[in-house]
Amino acid sequence: MKKVLSLILILNIYTSVYSQKIINPDGNFKYSIPYKNETGTDLLKSMQKINPLIIDIHIIKTKNGNIPLALSKYEGGENLPLEIILEKYVNSVKSTNNSRVLETKTYNKNGIIFHRKITAIKFNKNNETISVMYYFKESKETKNMYELKISSDIADSTDIKNYLEKVASTVTFKK
């Protein structure tokens, strides 16, 4: 009986560690979500009516509730390095009455260069939504830029930064 329980435990650990699904919504951009999650098919259809650049949505299940994770694909008119695109079109957007730019940052962690932007949007006097975005481009020769984004009203933005950084660290492109 003890051997059977040990075998079941080993199989459960093996399944949870190795069953992380590679998500490849457009045949080029690949990522995985190292958390419990579900595909947001109905939410994706609704969101694409508002923003057709969204190509994938998953709902991450956390101890603090469900958090939507969206992937958007932007197709540029010219081949520019990601740093120039971010400088001209992303990081140049400043705070307004309803929104605040909390951070624009490029950093290296474990050999991976991350490009992150964090904003806060106030929908009413008492409620503020934090958005964390990471940006990716396969190479200088491609016109496509991708954005992974989490938006949540979780009070501790450190949690959502950590969730998305772990997802961002799994990003690869089709070879």
Side-chain angles (χ1 to χ4, degrees):
M1 184 64 163
K2 199 174 189 182
K3 285 183 180 183
V4 172
L5 289 175
S6 295
L7 183 59
I8 290 171
L9 179 62
I10 289 169
L11 285 173
N12 283 338
I13 291 170
Y14 176 83
T15 303
S16 66
V17 169
Y18 293 102
S19 66
Q20 223 179 79
K21 182 180 158 193
I22 301 293
I23 302 162
N24 188 354
D26 72 344
N28 188 40
F29 187 91
K30 298 178 185 180
Y31 68 105
S32 61
I33 303 172
Y35 305 103
K36 289 183 182 179
N37 71 87
E38 61 185 42
T39 304
T41 308
D42 293 335
L43 180 58
L44 177 61
K45 289 176 186 174
S46 298
M47 291 302 294
Q48 284 178 326
K49 291 176 184 174
I50 299 165
N51 182 354
L53 299 175
I54 297 174
I55 61 171
D56 196 29
I57 291 183
H58 289 266
I59 309 301
I60 297 175
K61 308 283 187 175
T62 74
K63 63 183 180 204
N64 296 322
N66 298 337
I67 303 174
L69 166 69
L71 173 66
S72 298
K73 180 179 180 180
Y74 301 90
E75 297 183 25
E78 54 187 317
N79 299 337
L80 295 172
L82 181 57
E83 292 76 14
I84 302 230
I85 294 169
L86 293 174
E87 184 182 311
K88 285 176 75 171
Y89 303 108
V90 176
N91 297 340
S92 63
V93 177
K94 303 298 179 201
S95 297
T96 66
N97 289 340
N98 295 1
S99 69
R100 298 181 294 133
V101 175
L102 302 177
E103 174 186 273
T104 57
K105 181 178 184 179
T106 297
Y107 64 98
N108 187 323
K109 184 173 181 182
N110 299 327
I112 301 170
I113 297 173
F114 292 104
H115 304 279
R116 178 174 72 198
K117 182 173 184 175
I118 302 173
T119 61
I121 298 174
K122 199 169 250 194
F123 292 105
N124 62 46
K125 290 181 181 182
N126 301 324
N127 192 9
E128 193 169 59
T129 297
I130 304 293
S131 293
V132 179
M133 288 96 31
Y134 278 85
Y135 298 93
F136 306 89
K137 195 166 186 254
E138 182 177 11
S139 70
K140 292 178 186 176
E141 290 75 40
T142 60
K143 295 181 180 180
N144 299 332
M145 180 182 77
Y146 296 87
E147 174 191 74
L148 277 172
K149 179 178 184 177
I150 286 181
S151 294
S152 177
D153 58 1
I154 291 176
D156 185 3
S157 65
T158 303
D159 281 350
I160 60 173
K161 283 193 288 192
N162 291 338
Y163 288 134
L164 194 53
E165 183 181 77
K166 284 184 182 176
V167 174
S169 70
T170 70
V171 169
T172 60
F173 288 90
K174 180 181 135 187
K175 299 285 183 205

